[in-house]
Amino acid sequence: VGSEMCTRDRLTAFLRPSRSQAIIAVILLVVGMTAAMQYKVKATDASYSSTRREDLVQLLDTANEETRRLEAELQALQESRDKLKAGAADARVAEAEAEKRLATLKILAGTSPASGQGIRLVIFDPQGKVGPDLLLDAVQELRDAGAEVIEVNDSVRVVASTWFGTSPTGTIVADGKAVTRPIVLDVIGDPHALEEAARFRGGIVSQVQAPQVGGTVTIARPSVVQVTAVKELTVNQYARPS
């Protein structure tokens, strides 16, 4: 019985080592790992120390070649990155130019409001002698003077397809809309050139103020001319983009 208890105590001590025993075990483990690492380093050094000079030169050449290959690959990747950045910048510039071009085309087509410097020309026609022909002449003169946007009576946007006529009651119509008097033309462009064209001898001012018409014209230069009327796009019946 005594021997059995002794054996059991030894087994318990082995499975549950004391603190000092655990510390000694850790120290022995560290010493063993250190010795193994030193042996591995010495073995490696020994392997290189025993290598021939030609083999060492070959290993060095191989390492240098691998370094050059990696450097070339790095340079190629950097060039690809730069090209992608430049391409993205070019794409952004092209997109900005396209948006700017689209905005300009919308203004020219009359589908977008516009603002800018220009003049406001008001035709007073107390005798009702101003007809669609005279109004068309005024529009053409302003266009020749560089008018970019023209609006009639805050309601009709003048575009390439705009037409002027007379209703059965004798009222001037523009694109089917009645033009009431006084006739107001808001024009965006160079104010000086536009006013000079209107006041030029034989221009709209002299025609309206002629005795056979008996009207008057005022021209103002607002700080900003606002054009809010827009043209609705129509769907072509026969024409298609080619």
Side-chain angles (χ1 to χ4, degrees):
V1 175
S3 62
E4 182 180 352
M5 292 180 60
C6 183
T7 302
R8 185 181 303 173
D9 292 339
R10 290 178 181 178
L11 180 61
T12 303
F14 177 78
L15 296 176
R16 296 180 180 179
S18 63
R19 183 176 181 182
S20 59
Q21 290 174 336
I23 294 175
I24 293 173
V26 171
I27 293 174
L28 292 175
L29 177 63
V30 172
V31 170
M33 292 177 63
T34 304
M37 292 177 63
Q38 289 179 348
Y39 175 78
K40 184 176 181 180
V41 171
K42 289 181 178 179
T44 304
D45 292 342
S47 62
Y48 280 113
S49 62
S50 61
T51 305
R52 296 183 306 168
R53 180 177 179 181
E54 293 79 2
D55 295 336
L56 290 174
V57 171
Q58 181 64 33
L59 290 173
L60 181 61
D61 291 340
T62 303
N64 290 336
E65 182 64 26
E66 181 67 13
T67 301
R68 286 192 293 269
R69 186 187 67 80
L70 293 175
E71 289 177 348
E73 184 176 354
L74 176 60
Q75 183 178 359
L77 292 173
Q78 290 175 341
E79 291 177 353
S80 299
R81 178 201 61 189
D82 295 340
K83 289 181 180 179
L84 290 173
K85 287 183 177 180
D90 292 341
R92 287 193 296 268
V93 172
E95 183 179 0
E97 289 296 326
E99 291 178 353
K100 183 178 179 181
R101 180 62 177 167
L102 178 61
T104 301
L105 291 175
K106 285 183 177 180
I107 291 176
L108 293 176
T111 60
S112 174
S115 62
Q117 59 179 344
I119 65 172
R120 166 165 277 210
L121 188 149
V122 182
I123 301 174
F124 297 92
D125 181 25
Q127 301 182 36
K129 296 294 185 66
V130 174
D133 294 340
L134 196 152
L135 192 55
L136 179 60
D137 289 342
V139 169
Q140 296 292 2
E141 290 172 3
L142 293 170
R143 280 177 171 170
D144 292 340
E148 298 175 357
V149 180
I150 301 176
E151 180 186 63
V152 180
N153 283 4
D154 296 325
S155 60
V156 179
R157 183 71 167 268
V158 178
V159 294
S161 60
T162 298
W163 59 272
F164 296 94
T166 306
S167 68
T169 60
T171 304
I172 299 176
V173 293
D175 285 345
K177 294 183 179 180
V179 178
T180 58
R181 295 174 174 82
I183 304 171
V184 180
L185 299 179
D186 287 307
V187 189
I188 295 178
D190 182 1
H192 177 73
L194 295 173
E195 184 171 356
E196 288 297 317
R199 296 189 184 280
F200 185 75
R201 186 173 182 179
I204 182 62
V205 173
S206 60
Q207 291 184 59
V208 172
Q209 293 178 350
Q212 57 270 28
V213 177
T216 57
V217 177
T218 62
I219 299 176
R221 297 187 185 184
S223 57
V224 178
V225 176
Q226 297 283 352
V227 174
T228 57
V230 294
K231 182 77 172 178
E232 294 183 2
L233 292 178
T234 57
V235 179
N236 295 324
Q237 183 178 358
Y238 302 105
R240 295 291 183 273
S242 58

